[in-house]
Amino acid sequence: MTGRAMDPLPAAAVASATEAEADEEADPLVAGSPVPQVTDRRDPDPSRMQMPQGNPLLLSYTLQELLARDTVQVELIPEKKGLFLKHVEYEVSSQRFKSSVYRRYNDFVVFHEMLLHKFPYRMVPALPPKRVLGADREFIEGRRRALKRFINLVARHPPFSEDTILKLFLSFSGSDVQNKLKEAAQCVGDEFMNCKLATRAKDFLPSDIQTQFAVSRELIRNIYNSFYKLRDRAERIASRAIDNAADLLIFGKELSALGSDTTPLPSWAALHLSTWGSLKQALKGLSVEFALLADKAVQQGKQEENDVVEKLNLFLDLLQSYKDLCERHEKGVLHKHQRALHKDGLMKRQAVSNREPESVEQLESRILEQENMIQTMELRNYFSLYCLHQETQLIHAYLPLTSHILGAFVNSQIQGHKEMGKVWDDLKPKLSCLFAGPHNALTPPRSPQDGVCPH
């Protein structure tokens, strides 16, 4: 049976397939896997694969529903010494499973690999880089935050959240979690092999799916670029708040040091002895208020890091996983399909030109095998587009996160300025003795509009 002709491919897809052809190897999931049949069910939990009501292509999740699926905390455990090097462990706590387990970075790596094995056509977020020699606290904390974002995106992803390997990773407390994950993932095929809709995915796709795919990819690329710039600016704003805190603290300490100076006044300045003594007394106590101002600035900076920068990073991680998925689709299943079609054409031309009976029989057998493979890859291609369509909907379900981020940023600014403004107001009366005029008469400071008259 010959494979059906596919819808026209985007030029970029064909180009990338051609460029990667020399280096690409056959997909083991495609080459060695039969087309899934209704009677061939190897998933340990078939109930979650039941056919949804209505059009299964359409998702109706809201952001609140996705966020409510689970909240996972990832906290550092103090370093333990291994045989040669120290290693870092994390306490991973799931609200949904009411579990708390210890995981190392390599456990996350195996979990990530098994997700890609089972769900090659879904958005699997990337992991942060491995630890490098001489990694400092800043690197370790940054990686902890990235791992937390990763596991929360996975735990809230509809297909992932119902899969066995997620529950294993979040709740299995044994020491051989990596082997358990591999056994759970490799004893069944990937999502294509276990989904009842896999062979019918094309029936649910819109006729202009290739155009929609290209448009969605361009839109999400633009959204990613804008959010990347927003994240950079938010990082700078939070960093400036923390730098401002350090400056305020040093400013207060210097005022306090000035007030604590014990150097005696020379005799010719004795007339100002009482004024200088009052000034020093006032300056000495100002370090407390400036320390409080510094503390408020640090709180604002930390709050913006947690509530604004981290949420921007979470959304960027999701958008990046979509971009990675698009590349896997084009360089993987599309490329393999193009190669298989090309190989099939070569074998048919060879069969026509070859007149030896045995060779013709062998070629016909190979052609039949190749056409079966083409059919499987064609079905996988449509299933990949089916999944891409759903993943695009998930991206749009996360878009309202923008209002959460803006709300957190505005609230942080309002609260921060309000609290610092109160400290400044409380500080002002304590400065009255600093404004002593002639004959010790107190003169309040001029406001900016009371500038010196040019006459």
Side-chain angles (χ1 to χ4, degrees), residues 55-81:
N55 187 350
L57 182 65
L58 304 179
L59 303 180
S60 58
Y61 298 107
T62 65
L63 176 62
Q64 292 305 323
E65 289 171 340
L66 292 172
L67 297 179
R69 283 178 171 261
D70 200 359
T71 297
V72 185
Q73 300 296 333
V74 178
E75 300 297 337
L76 274 171
I77 296 175
E79 289 186 345
K80 297 179 181 179
K81 284 192 174 182

Side-chain angles (χ1 to χ4, degrees), residues 113-264:
E113 290 172 352
M114 295 305 101
L115 280 175
L116 283 172
H117 172 78
K118 289 198 74 174
F119 300 97
Y121 310 124
R122 300 287 182 180
M123 295 185 295
V124 179
L127 284 176
K130 286 181 176 289
R131 184 176 184 177
V132 295
L133 291 177
D136 54 16
R137 290 180 180 272
E138 184 178 354
F139 172 84
I140 294 173
E141 172 60 15
R143 191 172 69 175
R144 182 197 69 80
R145 288 174 177 262
L147 289 174
K148 181 181 177 182
R149 296 194 302 269
F150 163 80
I151 194 61
N152 275 283
L153 286 173
V154 170
R156 294 163 181 169
H157 189 285
F160 301 164
S161 65
E162 300 303 322
D163 196 80
T164 308
I165 61 172
L166 175 69
K167 184 176 181 180
L168 265 174
F169 185 80
L170 291 177
S171 60
F172 180 73
S173 56
S175 58
D176 57 342
V177 64
Q178 294 185 21
N179 288 331
K180 290 289 184 183
L181 289 169
K182 291 175 182 177
E183 289 171 6
Q186 294 173 354
C187 69
V188 295
D190 64 356
E191 186 183 13
F192 174 78
M193 295 299 301
N194 294 290
C195 180
K196 289 182 178 180
L197 300 175
T199 58
R200 298 172 49 210
K202 183 181 179 182
D203 299 338
F204 301 104
L205 293 173
S207 58
D208 61 342
I209 183 62
Q210 298 289 2
T211 302
Q212 288 191 27
F213 169 54
V215 171
S216 296
R217 189 176 185 182
E218 181 64 24
L219 171 63
I220 290 173
R221 183 187 293 116
N222 294 338
I223 292 173
Y224 177 90
N225 291 337
S226 293
F227 269 83
Y228 187 89
K229 294 173 184 176
L230 286 172
R231 192 276 314 274
D232 282 355
R233 294 298 158 178
E235 281 183 336
R236 293 179 65 177
I237 291 170
S239 178
R240 278 201 299 270
I242 295 173
D243 290 343
N244 185 38
D247 291 338
L248 285 167
L249 192 62
I250 294 172
F251 194 90
K253 286 181 178 179
E254 289 303 321
L255 288 176
S256 180
L258 187 60
S260 302
D261 185 75
T262 57
T263 305

Side-chain angles (χ1 to χ4, degrees), residues 366-434:
R366 287 171 56 195
I367 288 171
L368 182 61
E369 181 182 345
Q370 183 70 14
E371 288 179 346
N372 288 335
M373 185 183 296
I374 289 172
Q375 182 193 22
T376 302
M377 284 188 289
E378 193 171 274
L379 291 173
R380 280 186 174 270
N381 173 63
Y382 285 120
F383 184 68
S384 177
L385 287 170
Y386 175 94
C387 294
L388 262 170
H389 198 287
Q390 290 190 329
E391 300 302 274
T392 305
Q393 294 175 67
L394 278 180
I395 292 287
H396 285 275
Y398 267 95
L399 280 175
L401 191 64
T402 308
S403 60
H404 292 227
I405 295 168
L406 287 175
F409 178 63
V410 171
N411 289 337
S412 171
Q413 290 291 319
I414 292 173
Q415 182 181 348
H417 288 297
K418 183 178 179 180
E419 292 182 358
M420 291 187 72
K422 186 178 183 304
V423 178
W424 285 117
D425 286 339
D426 293 342
L427 178 61
K428 189 174 181 180
K430 299 180 181 181
L431 304 181
S432 57
C433 62
L434 298 178

Side-chain angles (χ1 to χ4, degrees), residues 280-295:
K280 288 204 301 180
Q281 189 63 32
L283 293 172
K284 190 184 299 184
L286 294 181
S287 63
V288 175
E289 280 74 17
F290 276 92
L292 186 56
L293 286 167
D295 183 59

Side-chain angles (χ1 to χ4, degrees), residues 230-376:
L230 286 172
R231 192 276 314 274
D232 282 355
R233 294 298 158 178
E235 281 183 336
R236 293 179 65 177
I237 291 170
S239 178
R240 278 201 299 270
I242 295 173
D243 290 343
N244 185 38
D247 291 338
L248 285 167
L249 192 62
I250 294 172
F251 194 90
K253 286 181 178 179
E254 289 303 321
L255 288 176
S256 180
L258 187 60
S260 302
D261 185 75
T262 57
T263 305
L265 283 176
S267 57
W268 54 268
L271 291 175
H272 302 285
L273 181 59
S274 61
T275 303
W276 177 235
S278 300
L279 286 171
K280 288 204 301 180
Q281 189 63 32
L283 293 172
K284 190 184 299 184
L286 294 181
S287 63
V288 175
E289 280 74 17
F290 276 92
L292 186 56
L293 286 167
D295 183 59
K296 298 294 184 186
V298 167
Q299 288 179 20
Q300 182 178 347
K302 294 295 184 184
Q303 184 177 350
E304 287 171 357
E305 281 184 349
N306 294 327
D307 295 345
V308 180
V309 176
E310 272 306 292
K311 286 178 181 175
L312 285 167
N313 278 327
L314 178 81
F315 194 45
L316 281 172
D317 289 349
L318 183 68
L319 293 171
Q320 182 61 53
S321 68
Y322 182 87
K323 293 170 65 180
D324 295 342
L325 175 61
C326 291
E327 288 187 11
R328 286 204 304 275
H329 171 75
E330 290 191 340
K331 294 182 179 179
V333 65
L334 281 183
H335 166 65
K336 291 178 178 66
H337 186 257
Q338 294 291 329
R339 283 187 63 194
L341 287 174
H342 177 68
K343 185 176 179 181
D344 185 58
L346 289 177
M347 286 195 295
K348 285 180 177 178
R349 287 195 294 271
Q350 186 178 353
V352 171
S353 61
N354 199 329
R355 300 187 179 278
E356 296 181 16
E358 284 190 23
S359 299
V360 171
E361 256 184 52
Q362 292 173 355
L363 275 172
E364 285 178 349
S365 174
R366 287 171 56 195
I367 288 171
L368 182 61
E369 181 182 345
Q370 183 70 14
E371 288 179 346
N372 288 335
M373 185 183 296
I374 289 172
Q375 182 193 22
T376 302

